[in-house]
Amino acid sequence: SYPTLFRSVIYKISPGRVAETFLSTGEQYIWSLVFDKTGNLYAGTGMAGKLFKISQDGQGEVAYDANDPHIKCLLSSGDNIYAGTEGEGIIYKISSDGKVFALYDTSEREISCLAVDAKGNLYAGAASGESKAGRDDPGRPGGPGPGREGEDRKSYIYQITPDEVVTKIGKAKDK
């Protein structure tokens, strides 16, 4: 459990611009939010890597508890939710009936973004290595630990076709 200061809250904003607590996650970070096609809200969190499913009336449940510390990005496409993690860099597929499976385990440590094209191809932005010292806040997730210089980060783009064929299609070195 985290100190009260770090307990992330999702707020619902009324048409009159009044904020009210929708769900208190108890997690340190809320990294990503996405609605499914039936109106449920999903929240990807960290430091414990939980994916919350929140009904329209604000009832929340843990839909998945990942082994990775962060569920960094979410995407809703068709009947599925896709989630990308930081730690092991795994892309998960969550079906409408709540079944979760690892769609692809990359060799990078972080999935930072997800997108889908009109043909149903899923794209994932992935990063390896750690930020160089001084570039980011050392206490920030993904930043170098105390006394570590870090290494060059490398970024990649993966394409996953609807029949789950994976291709690493792009590479860029972080400067």
Side-chain angles (χ1 to χ4, degrees):
S1 180
Y2 299 99
T4 304
L5 175 67
F6 293 113
R7 295 203 178 171
S8 294
V9 175
I10 298 170
Y11 294 96
K12 183 176 185 177
I13 311 296
S14 72
R17 296 186 177 174
V18 175
E20 64 181 76
T21 298
F22 191 56
L23 180 75
S24 180
T25 68
E27 299 301 310
Q28 188 168 353
Y29 301 105
I30 298 173
W31 292 116
S32 187
L33 298 169
V34 70
F35 286 99
D36 68 12
K37 70 180 195 175
T38 63
N40 294 304
L41 178 65
Y42 286 79
T45 68
M47 297 287 293
K50 291 184 175 142
L51 176 65
F52 288 87
K53 179 180 179 182
I54 306 126
S55 65
Q56 294 179 29
D57 64 359
Q59 297 300 309
E61 64 180 352
V62 176
Y64 186 64
D65 189 352
N67 288 329
D68 282 354
H70 304 280
I71 296 180
K72 291 292 290 269
C73 55
L74 298 171
L75 172 74
S76 178
S77 181
D79 291 332
N80 302 304
I81 299 292
Y82 296 91
T85 68
E86 179 180 341
E88 296 296 323
I90 299 172
I91 302 164
Y92 290 98
K93 180 178 179 179
I94 301 95
S95 64
S96 59
D97 62 3
K99 293 182 180 167
V100 179
F101 72 96
L103 185 60
Y104 190 67
D105 185 352
T106 70
S107 57
E108 286 70 50
R109 65 183 301 270
E110 176 183 347
I111 304 300
S112 55
C113 59
L114 296 166
V116 68
D117 68 15
K119 295 179 182 178
N121 294 305
L122 178 67
Y123 296 88
S128 64
E130 294 181 344
S131 301
K132 290 197 178 258
R135 179 163 181 239
D136 294 314
D137 174 7
R140 180 186 154 276
R148 296 190 317 189
E149 289 298 315
E151 58 186 274
D152 287 338
R153 285 179 58 94
K154 295 182 178 103
S155 299
Y156 302 89
I157 298 173
Y158 286 89
Q159 178 191 53
I160 305 173
T161 65
D163 56 351
E164 300 178 5
V165 174
V166 179
T167 306
K168 193 184 264 191
I169 62 170
K171 177 182 175 183
K173 184 177 178 186
D174 196 23
K175 295 183 180 189

